[in-house]
Amino acid sequence: MAEDPRDWQIETRAVRGGLARTPYGEISEALFLNQSFAYDSAAAADARFAGEAPGFIYQRFGNPTTQMFEDRLALLEGAEACRATASGMAAVHLSLMGLVRAGDHIVAGRALFGSCRWILSEWMPRFGVETTYVDATDLEAWKTAVRPNTKVFLVESPANPLLEVTAIGAVADIAHAAGAKLVVDNVFATPIFQKPLALGADIVVYSATKHIDGQGRVLGGAILGQAELMTEAYKDIARHCGPALSPFNAWVLLKGLETLELRVRRQTENAGRVADAIAAHSKAKQTIYPGRPDHPQAAVIANQMTGGGNVVAFDLGSREAAWRFLDALQIVDISNNLGDAKSMATHPSTTTHRSMPEEERVAIGLTQGWVRMSVGLEGSGDLIRDVSRALDAA
Ligand SMILES: *Cc1c(COP(=O)(O)O)cnc(C)c1O
């Protein structure tokens, strides 16, 4: 009997999932840089457009390389279907737009990636869709925010930048009782450490730009879920609005998936060591890392995550101290990206979260002393030496 790839170990799915070889039998996945496809006859074109015969039509609808990436990521996630997008933000935008119409209401965790907040606060209201923000760790707040027209719950867990964790299963139950769908931005956890669909979420979104590429090259994104919902909510909007991922980027990301598990496990080992060194240093007032037992939602993490991920946040007390820390780093880069092989650190209040009003930053606990660090693949001894010296200088 033929092997079912869904039964493979995660490492095997990452390396071989979705592989569709041409008659040449190439080992590394082929890159199909082509826009359209020829049909054997007018009747064959008719059948393909009618959806009665399989095959590709046009790059905006689908492409063999992009499909290999979608199939591989779907296998890693344990999802029936995946749609790749040109960026993580295209994925978040599409995931919401496909589920709402004018007059609908969204409930979202208040600690969200800045561009996600812009979509909810500035963009969706133009089309008559309102959002209520809640403290995502407070289950009562989710319940209280529900209105008769609530159609979507959106949460990022762990959230950027202070790594707040939401009980995905409990929030999914509240969403479903209200007749709403739960969308989870799973970037920080990666498909290796958290499976939102298995916990009860309806849709998972990724910025593939982060750990899936993991080497700072291309933008990409993905939406995953059950086949029926994916088709109903996203098939037409994706075809006609055109957020398609470039096949070249899909190829880079497909190769990224091969080593995703290896990379994020090593990054997580490094992050655990770096977090412990920071927490033990007198300059750090508070250190937040999902892999440490002193994380504020440690019990929830134990229930739904199998690894802490590669991001650490710590409070040095003031903007001046945070900047002194960043300026003293010799190996770690000052950069706002994350998930890369190279370690990087940023001051969220003046970079990623500068457009958030000060009172909202305070509401999520993001005061001026916080630094966010994405731990990479360098030797942990070098990282700890660099970070410890910068902490001394802070
Ligand atoms: C980076 C990021 C995004 C946006 O992804 P892009 O690929 O940069 O468009 C969305 N959500 C989270 C949590 C992110 O970290």
Side-chain angles (χ1 to χ4, degrees), residues 198-384:
L199 294 166
D202 301 283
I203 294 292
V204 178
V205 294
Y206 285 104
S207 164
T209 313
K210 310 294 166 53
H211 309 76
I212 293 176
D213 177 329
Q215 293 167 78
R217 299 164 295 193
V218 303
L219 289 183
I223 306 178
L224 299 107
Q226 283 195 334
E228 197 184 330
L229 176 61
M230 290 291 295
T231 302
E232 182 192 304
Y234 305 121
K235 185 177 171 205
D236 290 340
I237 186 177
R239 281 184 166 214
H240 303 302
C241 296
L245 178 66
S246 138
F248 178 80
N249 291 1
W251 180 81
V252 173
L253 296 170
L254 185 58
K255 302 310 284 181
L257 285 178
E258 290 190 352
T259 56
L260 177 69
E261 196 261 351
L262 273 178
R263 286 184 287 105
V264 300
R265 283 201 195 286
R266 175 60 69 85
Q267 285 173 326
T268 298
E269 273 174 40
N270 279 353
R273 292 188 188 131
V274 169
D276 289 346
I278 295 169
H281 197 285
S282 60
K283 293 279 173 68
K285 312 235 171 308
Q286 197 187 344
T287 305
I288 302 185
Y289 177 60
R292 278 175 59 87
D294 60 357
H295 187 287
Q297 289 93 38
V300 178
I301 293 169
N303 245 339
Q304 68 186 31
M305 291 181 74
T306 55
N310 81 312
V311 182
V312 183
F314 48 100
D315 181 11
L316 298 179
S318 68
R319 194 207 73 177
E320 290 72 18
W323 281 23
R324 279 195 297 272
F325 169 84
L326 292 172
D327 291 341
L329 292 166
Q330 294 186 29
I331 296 173
V332 178
D333 288 303
I334 302 174
S335 180
N336 48 280
N337 204 2
L338 61 97
D340 203 279
K342 295 184 173 62
S343 295
M344 39 191 78
T346 192
H347 181 237
S349 306
T350 49
T351 61
T352 53
H353 288 68
R354 70 175 299 141
S355 63
M356 195 185 232
E358 176 76 23
E359 69 273 13
E360 287 184 39
R361 282 204 299 261
V362 171
I364 66 164
L366 180 60
T367 45
Q368 294 277 329
W370 284 93
V371 172
R372 185 194 78 189
M373 179 169 170
S374 167
V375 180
L377 294 173
E378 301 92 339
S380 59
D382 291 336
L383 291 176
I384 288 169

Side-chain angles (χ1 to χ4, degrees), residues 85-92 112-116 156-160 185-188 205-211 218-221 336-338 372:
T85 57
S87 68
M89 285 322 305
V92 172
L112 275 185
F113 190 70
S115 297
C116 302
E156 195 182 303
S157 182
N160 189 21
D185 184 333
N186 203 39
V187 166
F188 278 58
V205 294
Y206 285 104
S207 164
T209 313
K210 310 294 166 53
H211 309 76
V218 303
L219 289 183
N336 48 280
N337 204 2
L338 61 97
R372 185 194 78 189

